[in-house]
Amino acid sequence: QKLQRQYSRRINLDLKRIKKALERLNNPHIHLSNVVQFAGSSGKFSCLKSLRQFLEADGKKVSSKISPHLFSLRERFYMGNGKQLFLDKIKKFQKIVKKTKVKITLYELMVLIYFLACKSKKIIDWNLTEFGCGYRGDALNVFKKPRAIIISNLNLQHKDILKVKNIKDICKEKCGYLPNNTQIFIGKQKASTLKIIKKVLKNNKSEIFYPDKWRIIYKKNKVFYLNKNNKIQIKNKNIFSKGLFNNLGLSIYVALNFGVKKSIIEKTLPKIFFPARIQHIKQGKLKKLIKPNQKLIIDGCHAPAEAKNFAEYLKTLETPLYGIVGILKNKEPEKILKEFKGVFKKLICIQIPDEPNALSSYQLLCIAEKSNFKTIEAKNLQDAFNKISTKGTFCIFGSLYLVGHALSKN
């Protein structure tokens, strides 16, 4: 919150400021080796986190920069061996950045802190960076030759920020400005979207790997990753949706390409877990707020494609289901809620705490009622839980900020 008062949260896709600040800091980013960039609309974090675990299991020192965080600023800066950057280090690097006297955004500050932190470490073998909403004007787009670029699922998310109108424009923005001297891995896409991506990358001279090189298959309640040379059973009790399995499959393919052995991947798969991505809350303070015959699931879906994934999973569960939803104003709430038609017995609308861009509970209620949801308002999570006294499953969704708030309360 202190940083939010000092730096603008506004997304400003212009590289002038970050390049000026980097120059005054003696370009700390050039010291990062094996930079892998994660771009796309959905699935960047799950791809990054699983690849990070594969590389660490292979004995490599790995750092990562993600955005946004769930409930602690430290989550954005992973410095290897299970450790996040300490707050005193974040303050130290923030002071160094401040001395450049370059007026930067909060997001740009996070990027600069990450670069300075990585430079201060003696040995980091791989550096994994998650882009924000775009590619061309993102503050992370300052590497002349990244080791690889991974494009996860592309959809219409962020079109307002990117000032584009359709999926063709999204593909151009996120794939049309990629460097010509790297490896590019494309994740699973709609057939029509993949066709556009191939057209956009037609003249790119990088080595490009399209998603027809591998697939995820489902057979007798088992899930397998399959490519020309490998068949790997995905033994994991934490992953539930096809979208997440596709993201994991992309990371498996990349890890194999990077030289990680099949046996290491197989041993790592059961340990992979994506917080706030169809996460079943089985213990903690929130669990104590609901009744013994009630369950709780959270998912940070904040775009129609992600909502569809979550809704498809919920349809496989026992009913009744009760939705607790909070959504930001710029996240297409009508389209997100549309994916849950017929899923919830009742929808409880709340306002995301401490988020000025959040829809009020009343605004959400009005939107939901137009789509014929049985809807009520609640002041907060505890009030939402109190609204339902019968057996069922609560599903908190609609925003990573909302589920991050829930996890902090848990």
Side-chain angles (χ1 to χ4, degrees):
Q1 290 177 337
K2 289 181 180 178
L3 291 176
Q4 287 177 12
R5 289 194 290 267
Q6 296 178 53
Y7 298 87
S8 171
R9 290 183 65 184
R10 188 169 66 92
I11 297 173
N12 193 328
L13 299 175
D14 185 344
L15 295 176
K16 291 179 182 177
R17 295 176 305 281
I18 194 78
K19 287 185 175 180
K20 188 175 182 180
L22 284 171
E23 185 176 350
R24 294 185 181 182
L25 292 168
N26 294 319
N27 295 308
H29 65 298
I30 65 174
H31 298 277
L32 278 64
S33 60
N34 287 323
V35 174
V36 181
Q37 301 177 319
F38 293 77
S41 303
S42 301
K44 298 186 294 291
F45 171 77
S46 50
C47 287
L48 181 153
K49 190 171 186 295
S50 46
L51 180 60
R52 188 177 80 194
Q53 288 186 242
F54 293 142
L55 291 170
E56 286 194 318
D58 195 37
K60 303 297 189 297
K61 302 291 184 183
V62 187
S63 80
S64 66
K65 156 74 175 65
I66 65 165
S67 178
H69 61 271
L70 288 172
F71 59 89
S72 170
L73 179 64
R74 295 180 59 212
E75 296 169 41
R76 294 181 182 241
F77 314 104
Y78 179 84
M79 304 313 296
N81 298 321
K83 296 180 180 179
Q84 299 167 348
L85 192 63
F86 289 108
L87 283 176
D88 62 339
K89 293 289 186 181
I90 293 175
K91 292 176 182 177
K92 173 187 173 182
F93 294 131
Q94 184 262 333
K95 289 178 180 177
I96 293 172
V97 173
K98 193 174 182 179
K99 289 179 180 179
T100 66
K101 296 183 179 180
V102 179
K103 191 175 181 180
I104 56 175
T105 66
L106 183 60
Y107 177 78
E108 291 164 345
L109 172 67
M110 299 296 104
V111 171
L112 292 170
I113 288 173
Y114 172 69
F115 289 160
L116 290 170
C118 289
K119 182 186 175 183
S120 71
K121 298 286 285 185
K122 291 183 178 180
I123 300 175
I124 300 179
D125 302 309
W126 294 84
N127 297 277
L128 315 184
T129 61
E130 178 188 0
F131 275 67
C133 61
Y135 183 88
R136 176 173 47 161
D138 193 288
L140 285 165
N141 184 22
V142 292
F143 295 96
K144 293 181 179 180
K145 190 177 180 180
R147 174 65 175 79
I149 299 170
I150 298 173
I151 305 294
S152 56
N153 182 264
L154 293 183
N155 52 61
L156 290 173
Q157 190 180 169
H158 304 131
K159 67 178 183 179
D160 58 323
I161 299 171
L162 296 172
K163 298 179 181 178
V164 298
K165 296 180 179 180
N166 51 48
I167 192 64
K168 184 178 179 180
D169 293 337
I170 290 282
C171 292
K172 183 177 180 181
E173 185 66 34
K174 301 205 176 196
C175 298
Y177 303 92
L178 303 183
N180 287 275
N181 55 359
T182 184
Q183 288 184 316
I184 300 171
F185 296 86
I186 307 296
K188 296 295 183 184
Q189 313 286 339
K190 284 185 177 180
S192 56
T193 302
L194 183 59
K195 187 176 180 180
I196 297 169
I197 292 172
K198 287 183 176 180
K199 188 174 181 180
V200 170
L201 290 175
K202 184 179 179 180
N203 296 319
N204 191 300
K205 296 178 182 179
S206 294
E207 186 178 13
I208 303 174
F209 302 89
Y210 288 106
D212 58 349
K213 303 291 185 182
W214 59 273
R215 59 194 175 110
I216 299 293
I217 58 174
Y218 303 85
K219 192 174 182 180
K220 295 181 179 179
N221 296 319
K222 295 180 180 179
V223 184
F224 297 89
Y225 165 90
L226 189 67
N227 67 15
K228 185 178 180 180
N229 301 312
N230 297 282
K231 183 178 182 180
I232 300 173
Q233 183 178 350
I234 301 176
K235 296 180 180 180
N236 184 290
K237 296 181 179 180
N238 304 313
I239 301 173
F240 302 98
S241 78
K242 290 184 177 180
L244 288 174
F245 278 119
N246 283 338
N247 297 339
L248 179 59
L250 175 58
S251 294
I252 292 173
Y253 182 74
V254 174
L256 290 168
N257 187 280
F258 287 174
V260 180
K261 293 180 179 179
K262 175 185 174 182
S263 59
I264 291 175
I265 290 173
E266 289 174 326
K267 289 179 181 178
T268 308
L269 282 170
K271 304 173 187 176
I272 289 178
F273 163 70
F274 306 129
R277 278 73 176 176
I278 311 186
Q279 181 179 349
H280 290 251
I281 304 298
K282 297 181 179 180
Q283 59 184 7
K285 293 180 180 179
L286 284 185
K287 181 68 175 174
K288 294 177 182 178
L289 293 178
I290 63 177
K291 295 174 176 55
N293 61 350
Q294 295 175 333
K295 298 178 181 179
L296 177 60
I297 303 172
I298 63 171
D299 187 88
C301 61
H302 52 281
E306 297 163 358
K308 184 177 181 180
N309 259 324
F310 187 37
E312 286 180 354
Y313 170 69
L314 293 179
K315 290 173 184 177
T316 69
L317 303 181
E318 291 183 7
T319 55
L321 304 175
Y322 301 99
I324 301 176
V325 62
I327 303 176
L328 297 180
K329 294 174 183 176
N330 64 340
K331 291 296 182 179
E332 300 185 301
E334 295 89 353
K335 292 183 179 180
I336 290 174
L337 292 177
K338 182 181 177 182
E339 298 296 339
F340 296 94
K341 290 290 288 288
V343 173
F344 299 121
K345 184 176 181 179
K346 190 169 286 186
L347 191 65
I348 306 169
C349 300
I350 68 174
Q351 182 170 342
I352 304 168
D354 303 317
E355 281 299 326
N357 195 35
L359 289 164
S360 70
S361 58
Y362 179 72
Q363 287 174 317
L364 258 181
L365 180 139
C366 293
I367 293 169
E369 286 186 338
K370 286 181 182 179
S371 297
N372 299 315
F373 282 94
K374 291 183 179 179
T375 313
I376 56 176
E377 288 181 82
K379 297 175 183 178
N380 49 47
L381 289 177
Q382 184 168 352
D383 186 36
F385 295 145
N386 291 339
K387 299 287 185 183
I388 307 297
S389 59
T390 55
K391 179 181 178 181
T393 300
F394 288 106
C395 308
I396 303 175
F397 72 101
S399 169
L400 282 172
Y401 296 103
L402 176 61
V403 298
H405 168 72
L407 286 173
S408 70
K409 293 294 182 184
N410 198 47

